[in-house]
Structure formats: structure tokens, C-alpha cells
Amino acid sequence: DVKVTQSSRYLVKRTGEKVFLECVQDMDHENMFWYRQDPGLGLRLIYFSYDVKMKEKGDIPEGYSVSREKKERFSLILESASTNQTSMYLCASSPLQGLAVGGETQYFGPGTRLLVL
Amino acid sequence: GENVEQHPSTLSVQEGDSAVIKCTYSDSASNYFPWYKQELGKRPQLIIDIRSNVGEKKDQRIAVTLNKTAKHFSLHITETQPEDSAVYFCAAKDTGGGNKLTFGTGTQLKVEL
């Protein structure tokens, strides 16, 4: 069973703070993703990574950065948190395209609800 | 890049009735279309998916249909039950690398007793 975990379920931070959200997967997946989920907007991709030390911008990367030093761990960094970054953040992982049946399937973590005051 | 539109945003049905959620996509080269269900306070979970070489796929009470010509796909839930109440997301796989998915904006389904 694929397990994707996120370091916190709830987080409260002050404007201007540096925030780290951690995601770990235990299935040796190559691909990892960070989304934010807002009512009426669905899941929007912030960044993704298809290999260690590799990263690609998603649809809304502004104000965020990421780090992938190890295959199992993908971190989302808010360099200077702002109130408009208050949201639910979801991490996901998937195996390398084409190497497994259902290889495109993404498996999600439980989410981190971030409140920036 | 890919653009996915999903309708309706909310759907209320009586228990036992059918529910249909529709999505359109923009990239004719997209070849993988998953549907996710997210119950309140929980993570999105895959419930069914379809690839572009298939027109329809069924798994018990849920089915997905794909019309490549029109670039739309639909989720059908028959004999709805209260536990079907959730937010449903459609998605389409981008043709670039990395297994990137573009999601629709979600449909809140409420099954009323």
C-alpha cells in the first residue's frame, strides 16, 4: 500500500515567516508533486519533481520554492509567507511513467492546512 | 498547456438516482484521464481511470466514458448512496514529462436520503 505522509496536518504562521512543508513517500516513486487546494479552484500544481534534485514549475510557482535532496522526500518552502498563501497543501507521488500498470496514478498525502496570519 | 473544465460545481441527487459529472479537456494528445474522490477532511483517492484507447470503463456502480473527438469525458454513478457524497475531481494527463495531471475544479456531490 502506497503511503504518502506530510509533516503537519495544521500549521499557523505569521506573515513574513519562512515555512517548510515536508512530504515523504515510501514507494520509491520518481515523481512527486505539490498542489494547493482552494474552494472553487480545484487542485493547482505549484511544483513537481521527476528525480532527485530535479524540479519543474507548475501553474502557480510564484512565492514558493522546492527541494528534493532524497528520492523519498519533497519539501515545499514559502520563503516569506503571506496571507494569500493560506490554503490546503497536498503532496502527491507517482511512479515513473510507463513502467507500471497505472503508472500515471498519483497518490496523495493527507494534506497540510496552513493559516498565515 | 492542458486546460480541464468540469461541470457542474455542485450536484444534489436523491438516494438511488444516477449522477453524471462532465469534463472537457483541451489537448487532443492527452491519453490518460483519472477521477478522484475526496471525502470531507480526507485525501483525494483514485476511483476510476480511462486511457485514450478505450471508450468506456466500468467498475461496479461507477463508469467513465471518453469521447476523444469531442474531447470530453464523464463520470457516471448509478444507484447513488449517502457514502457517495464527496467532492469529485476529473483530471487529464499533460503530454509533457513527469506524469503531470491537470485537474478540474471539482464537483460537490450530495446524495440526499
Side-chain angles (χ1 to χ4, degrees):
Chain A
D1 221 17
V2 177
K3 185 171 281 187
V4 182
T5 57
Q6 295 183 228
S7 51
S8 305
R9 292 300 303 272
Y10 302 95
L11 213 49
V12 180
K13 295 291 181 181
R14 296 274 176 201
T15 301
E17 279 192 79
K18 191 168 185 175
V19 182
F20 292 86
L21 303 182
E22 302 282 335
C23 175
V24 177
Q25 50 93 4
D26 67 355
M27 282 301 292
D28 203 34
H29 285 172
E30 285 74 14
N31 300 302
M32 296 188 75
F33 309 84
W34 274 106
Y35 296 90
R36 64 176 283 175
Q37 181 177 14
D38 301 287
L41 298 178
L43 300 170
R44 293 181 294 165
L45 183 65
I46 304 171
Y47 267 96
F48 67 102
S49 169
Y50 52 88
D51 201 354
V52 175
K53 297 194 185 295
M54 304 302 289
K55 59 186 179 184
E56 293 279 346
K57 292 181 180 179
D59 300 316
I60 51 165
E62 296 78 18
Y64 304 94
S65 62
V66 290
S67 173
R68 192 159 180 210
E69 296 297 318
K70 293 185 178 181
K71 190 175 185 180
E72 67 271 19
R73 188 179 298 269
F74 192 35
S75 302
L76 180 69
I77 304 154
L78 286 65
E79 295 289 342
S80 177
S82 64
T83 54
N84 62 12
Q85 292 178 309
T86 289
S87 187
M88 169 69 85
Y89 290 87
L90 288 163
C91 174
S93 73
S94 73
L96 191 62
Q97 176 179 344
L99 291 189
V101 174
E104 298 93 337
T105 303
Q106 291 188 16
Y107 299 87
F108 285 86
T112 296
R113 189 167 292 282
L114 173 67
L115 173 62
V116 182
L117 299 174
Chain B
E2 178 71 275
N3 183 49
V4 176
E5 295 190 0
Q6 181 172 349
H7 299 280
S9 57
T10 60
L11 179 59
S12 186
V13 300
Q14 293 294 121
E15 184 180 7
D17 286 352
S18 295
V20 181
I21 302 170
K22 299 181 179 182
C23 289
T24 61
Y25 61 98
S26 61
D27 187 349
S28 57
S30 288
N31 60 7
Y32 176 70
F33 307 92
W35 286 88
Y36 286 82
K37 175 184 180 182
Q38 186 178 29
E39 296 176 12
L40 189 63
K42 297 193 175 179
R43 71 190 77 191
Q45 293 201 301
L46 179 76
I47 55 171
I48 195 167
D49 55 15
I50 191 167
R51 298 178 191 282
S52 57
N53 59 347
V54 174
E56 184 174 358
K57 184 177 178 180
K58 191 173 181 181
D59 183 3
Q60 299 183 339
R61 294 187 299 108
I62 59 172
V64 57
T65 58
L66 172 65
N67 182 327
K68 286 191 296 181
T69 304
K71 291 188 286 186
H72 67 70
F73 56 114
S74 300
L75 178 71
H76 305 253
I77 306 174
T78 58
E79 301 170 23
T80 54
Q81 301 167 4
E83 52 264 39
D84 294 328
S85 296
V87 178
Y88 291 82
F89 292 99
C90 64
K93 179 168 168 273
D94 280 29
T95 50
N99 275 2
K100 183 182 165 197
L101 296 175
T102 297
F103 285 83
T105 51
T107 297
Q108 174 75 62
L109 173 64
K110 185 176 180 182
V111 180
E112 298 177 335
L113 297 171

